[in-house]
Amino acid sequence: VRGGFDAASNLGGHFTYASKAGVGVLNGIEMVLAGLGCGVGGALVGTLFHKTVRFLKSVLWPATTSPCPPRSKYMPILKQTLVGFLIGLLSIKFPQTMFWGEGSLQCAVDGQCTAFASTPHGIPSIMTQSAHVDPNLPFSSHNSPITAALQVGVAKFLAIAIATSVKLPGGVIFPLLSNGASFANALVSAVTSVIPVASSSLLVPTIIMSFMAATLTSITRTPLATVLILALTSSSWTNLSAILPGALLASYVSVWVSNFLSKESYFNYSDSI
């Protein structure tokens, strides 16, 4: 918004999906395959997420018809404190589970090419020495980039699901986008061997944005709004004209597939006003 009124400011958001030197061409077949694959993948992640949260809530907050004893009012506090402690322990091994906004999301988007410690409000490297997957090194530098990205994705998934199930504040929108980016990087690493050398450099950012959009859309069922958020927060040199069609396709495919997999959703929507 500021860029529209300030001539000295650049239009666009903060998140970088591709380098400034990225080729601005994307093969149509690659775009369709990326959209379809990411749509199905995001739907699977989102459906598993809301079913996991539903299960954890049923365990932690069992329904009861009997009057609550006087001491029960302290149970929510005790449960949230215990869960917060457990998530803290998880963050020692996987600092990527912590989320503080734009800096940490950029780390997830570019596969940790942006060092964890160099982001605004980031954690110094001395505090991440016990990390199972070093957050200051790109996934591609690990012995198994697929495994590294998957481990971070699963750890982040569990942290969000557990925190949500005990009603800790914070929301799920941007944490799920970050989670989708981690799984997207695992997918990128998995298909790298079959991507032609001459393939457009925009295929990878298309997969990243598409999987992020599909993961969130499978939860919120808001494809247009999700893609609009990703478009407005992307950097000014992101080639949206080539990337957005794949992200839109992935978002709608995710809604259809997640609705097929489960009629239930994380948010309770109703046709009645």
Side-chain angles (χ1 to χ4, degrees):
V1 173
R2 185 183 64 180
F5 297 93
D6 185 1
S9 300
N10 292 323
L11 291 171
H14 303 277
F15 305 119
T16 302
Y17 292 85
S19 64
K20 293 182 179 180
V23 178
V25 177
L26 181 67
N27 183 284
I29 296 178
E30 292 174 343
M31 183 274 290
V32 171
L33 292 177
L36 292 175
C38 291
V40 174
L44 292 173
V45 172
T47 302
L48 181 60
F49 175 80
H50 82 74
K51 285 188 175 294
T52 301
V53 171
R54 186 178 295 272
F55 170 74
L56 291 175
K57 283 184 176 181
S58 68
V59 173
L60 295 170
W61 311 99
T64 179
T65 57
S66 60
C68 297
R71 64 176 182 174
S72 66
K73 64 180 181 180
Y74 299 108
M75 288 304 296
I77 299 175
L78 178 61
K79 291 177 181 178
Q80 291 176 341
T81 301
L82 179 60
V83 166
F85 177 74
L86 292 176
I87 293 177
L89 291 178
L90 179 63
S91 69
I92 295 176
K93 288 298 182 182
F94 293 95
Q96 298 91 337
T97 58
M98 294 180 284
F99 185 81
W100 59 87
E102 296 171 356
S104 58
L105 183 53
Q106 179 61 58
C107 292
V109 167
D110 61 20
Q112 297 187 173
C113 290
T114 299
F116 202 71
S118 67
T119 61
H121 315 296
I123 300 175
S125 57
I126 193 173
M127 296 180 64
T128 59
Q129 293 179 351
S130 299
H132 190 68
V133 177
D134 193 336
N136 296 308
L137 294 177
F139 290 135
S140 58
S141 67
H142 291 79
N143 293 332
S144 176
I146 303 175
T147 302
L150 274 179
Q151 288 176 334
V152 171
V154 171
K156 183 71 175 175
F157 179 95
L158 292 175
I160 302 171
I162 296 172
T164 303
S165 66
V166 295
K167 307 174 184 179
L168 292 176
V172 298
I173 304 300
F174 280 93
L176 282 175
L177 288 176
S178 177
N179 196 202
S182 297
F183 285 122
N185 277 285
L187 177 61
V188 167
S189 299
V191 302
T192 296
S193 59
V194 298
I195 295 178
V197 176
S199 177
S200 167
S201 63
L202 290 180
L203 178 58
V204 169
T206 298
I207 292 176
I208 301 295
M209 183 180 285
S210 297
F211 207 105
M212 291 171 66
T215 301
L216 181 57
T217 301
S218 66
I219 298 294
T220 62
R221 309 293 171 88
T222 54
L224 285 177
T226 298
V227 173
L228 185 62
I229 290 173
L230 292 173
L232 292 177
T233 56
S234 62
S235 60
S236 58
W237 56 79
T238 302
N239 197 326
L240 293 177
S241 63
I243 296 177
L244 278 188
L248 276 169
L249 176 60
S251 295
Y252 279 99
V253 169
S254 177
V255 172
W256 297 328
V257 174
S258 59
N259 188 60
F260 172 78
L261 293 174
S262 175
K263 298 301 180 182
E264 300 174 342
S265 63
Y266 181 80
F267 297 104
N268 293 321
Y269 296 108
S270 175
D271 293 334
S272 59
I273 299 177

